[in-house]
Amino acid sequence: MSSAPEIQALAEAPGYHARRTLPLRVEAMRQLGRRRTLLMGGVLAALPFILIIAFAIGGTPGGGDGGGGGGSRINLMDVATESAANFAATCLFVSAGFLLVVPVALFCGDTVASEASWSSLRYLLAAPVPRSRLLWSKLVVALGFSLAAMVLLPLVALGAGAAAYGWGPLKLPTGGALASSDTVPRLALVVAFVFVSQLVTAGLAFWLSTKTDAPLGAVGGAVGLTIVGNVLDAVTALGDWREFLPAHWQFAWADALQPDLEWGGMAKGAAVSVTYALILFALAFRGFSRKDIVS
């Protein structure tokens, strides 16, 4: 990496502004063109069609309980083929526990560590791109792609579900239904909560990405720790301590699919997730600002 005087000379060059380095558009285009981004998008887009084929082969879906904290258990599988809205909700239900964890860990864990593994990180910083600017650009883009992945799944599911099962109200497994005009806003609320609940995984992956030069280590570590959280939540002997685990609230969005919208579980889950995420993001920025970049 360039010496301090060289970087200082570059920083004082005419027309140089730290906020103009590594624009979000440039970083987004770099990440969009990567094969792992296209592969992840393809997997999420294919899931609704795989479920439609499975339902066509297996007949009427049913059986099995949902899981999660923040309230009652739900079983959306029983009503998955009632309408496009039901099918989209079911796709979110079967993927929120693990599948949607993967793109978040991938986009946030690969972002800095991959630059280090390619030995390009020091050249970015010597541009000169301030360290905080580099991290902010990469974090914002990574979170943007994570949100896009979560939006892609229900959008494809709504389209495929409308073609396969028709459009109609969202029928609830507990009885009753949500009007067609309410289904899209409620599903949007579900997606928003799922995204917020996954901020913990994003924080873990991003922090690990600043600590290692191995992208798979950051991604795998974040996924592994998320699984550990799910396992701990299943230990009922922990009692009320489980409420401090983000995994305990991962299915609290079920309250958004009730005739009377309940905010209690989602508010608690969001507070827990955001708190952990802010701590992890702060650790990432603090550690990276003091790190000796040699790759």
Side-chain angles (χ1 to χ4, degrees), residues 3-228:
S3 62
E6 291 173 329
I7 294 177
Q8 181 65 26
L10 286 170
E12 294 176 353
Y16 171 81
H17 295 283
R19 288 181 293 180
R20 294 181 183 176
T21 58
L22 196 60
L24 294 180
R25 176 181 55 83
V26 172
E27 178 64 17
M29 293 305 297
R30 292 178 67 215
Q31 299 301 325
L32 183 61
R34 296 187 59 188
R35 281 183 292 181
R36 52 92 158 146
T37 303
L38 301 176
L39 178 62
M40 196 70 252
V43 169
L44 292 173
L47 177 63
F49 298 99
I50 294 173
L51 288 180
I52 289 174
I53 294 172
F55 291 152
I57 295 174
T60 303
D65 277 337
S72 59
R73 292 179 178 269
I74 59 173
N75 185 7
L76 288 169
M77 277 291 183
D78 287 340
V79 292
T81 59
E82 295 292 334
S83 69
N86 278 92
F87 182 67
T90 301
C91 287
L92 286 169
F93 175 65
V94 300
S95 59
F98 179 75
L99 181 59
L100 290 180
V101 172
V102 176
V104 175
L106 182 64
F107 293 137
C108 295
D110 182 68
T111 181
V112 178
S114 62
E115 298 284 0
S117 69
W118 298 332
S119 298
S120 59
L121 186 57
R122 58 181 174 177
Y123 297 109
L124 277 175
L125 294 176
V129 179
R131 295 191 180 199
S132 59
R133 173 67 181 180
L134 183 141
L135 284 190
W136 274 118
S137 295
K138 288 190 170 293
L139 178 59
V140 170
V141 171
L143 290 178
F145 275 90
S146 300
L147 178 59
M150 296 181 189
V151 173
L152 175 65
L153 178 62
L155 279 180
V156 175
L158 281 173
Y165 311 119
W167 190 264
L170 194 156
K171 295 186 178 180
L172 306 175
T174 54
L178 292 178
S180 300
S181 59
D182 292 333
T183 55
V184 172
R186 294 292 185 93
L187 288 174
L189 178 59
V190 169
V191 171
F193 177 78
V194 172
F195 174 72
V196 172
S197 68
Q198 294 297 342
L199 286 178
V200 179
T201 300
L204 279 170
F206 193 70
W207 174 59
L208 291 173
S209 186
T210 63
K211 304 294 289 185
T212 179
D213 294 351
L216 287 179
V219 176
V223 173
L225 289 172
T226 301
I227 293 174
V228 169

Side-chain angles (χ1 to χ4, degrees), residues 267-285:
K268 292 179 181 178
V272 171
S273 297
V274 170
T275 299
Y276 279 113
L278 289 176
I279 293 173
L280 290 166
F281 290 145
L283 288 174
F285 275 83

